Amino acid sequence: MKQVKLSILVISYNQEDYILRALEGAAIQQTNFPIEWVIADDFSSDKTPDLIKDFCLRNSIAFTILETNRNLGMGWNYQRGFEACSGEYIAILEGDDYWTHPYRLQKHVDFLEAHPACPLSFNKYLLHFQKNDTLISSPKEFEEGVVFHSTKRLIQYNFIGNLSCCVIRKKYLTKIAKEWFAYQPNDRFLGIFLSQFGQLAFLNEELSVYRITNQGIWSKQSNVSKKNALIQESYQIDEALNYTYSKELASFRLATRLKLWREEKLGNLPFPFNKFLSKLLPTGLLLRVAEVGVVRFGINS
């Protein structure tokens, strides 16, 4: 029996309305290497686990389901999922997202095999807004082909934005101390952490869909809450990286606070003045101002 090359890690919790679409996108994958399915359902109270089992049995898909008698929370559910995967690579599939291209996994693995120093590759994706059932392209405006991203760039901008668009070398995931999963590490945390071992690669091809629902942990938060959460998370990232990128993370925090100030001030202005002034204070400028403040003037945000 050939050794598993890639593990499809299905992460689910109470997603009975979406899980079949996710599984269908995984089932259409065509590869020239062995894969396995690992199901990490976090004690769903709806029909999600039954739908997964029935789908796999009907389609003769061999799968491993990780049992639990209680809700573990997102972080610990991911931790046990990563640990259970036996493949050299792990493709994450969250239960409300879905893959659209039958050669998605093959494309990622071919790329990673050709670039052994790259810990993670991620593809462009569509945004599926469930509320009005619309699909739009994600705002990733890069040149054609592959773009590599350093730790500094990933601290400044969250280029990944969704774990279902990622394929990861498992050996680097084992370097994450187990206790960090208590903080529910997300795509931003994982991307920045893994980038310290090599630049991450963006494949500029739409191969998957990120579904945005009102029930999502992140999507249901206000813009202010999201930015405050990013500020708090940056302290955890700083510790996880052994304070190697403290200046970069301090610059990010200061820039994020400047963005909160910008949005508060512009929110009180009538249209079109708020739009005009917003263009005079773009995110890139705020990042540069923050970097000068931290590096030259020692501002510790």
Side-chain angles (χ1 to χ4, degrees), residues 98-116:
Y98 52 98
W99 301 336
T100 55
H101 198 292
Y103 293 104
R104 177 184 179 273
L105 297 181
Q106 187 71 55
K107 287 172 179 282
H108 276 273
V109 170
D110 285 348
F111 175 84
L112 291 168
E113 292 280 280
H115 299 82

Side-chain angles (χ1 to χ4, degrees), residues 9-13 38-42 64-66 77 80-81:
L9 175 59
V10 179
I11 299 288
S12 62
Y13 178 67
V38 176
I39 314 298
D41 181 80
D42 197 13
T64 299
I65 189 160
L66 307 181
N77 195 40
R80 68 175 184 144

Side-chain angles (χ1 to χ4, degrees), residues 149-159 188 191-193 195 230 234 237-238 241 244-253 255-256 259 287:
H149 294 291
S150 65
T151 305
K152 180 178 179 179
R153 288 286 287 163
L154 289 163
I155 288 172
Q156 292 176 328
Y157 300 97
N158 185 17
F159 287 113
R188 177 173 169 79
I192 293 173
F193 184 89
S195 69
L230 289 172
S234 72
I237 294 173
D238 201 8
L241 298 182
T244 306
Y245 292 90
S246 290
K247 288 184 178 179
E248 289 82 358
L249 286 158
S251 297
F252 168 79
R253 287 193 292 273
T256 303
K259 283 188 276 187
L287 283 166

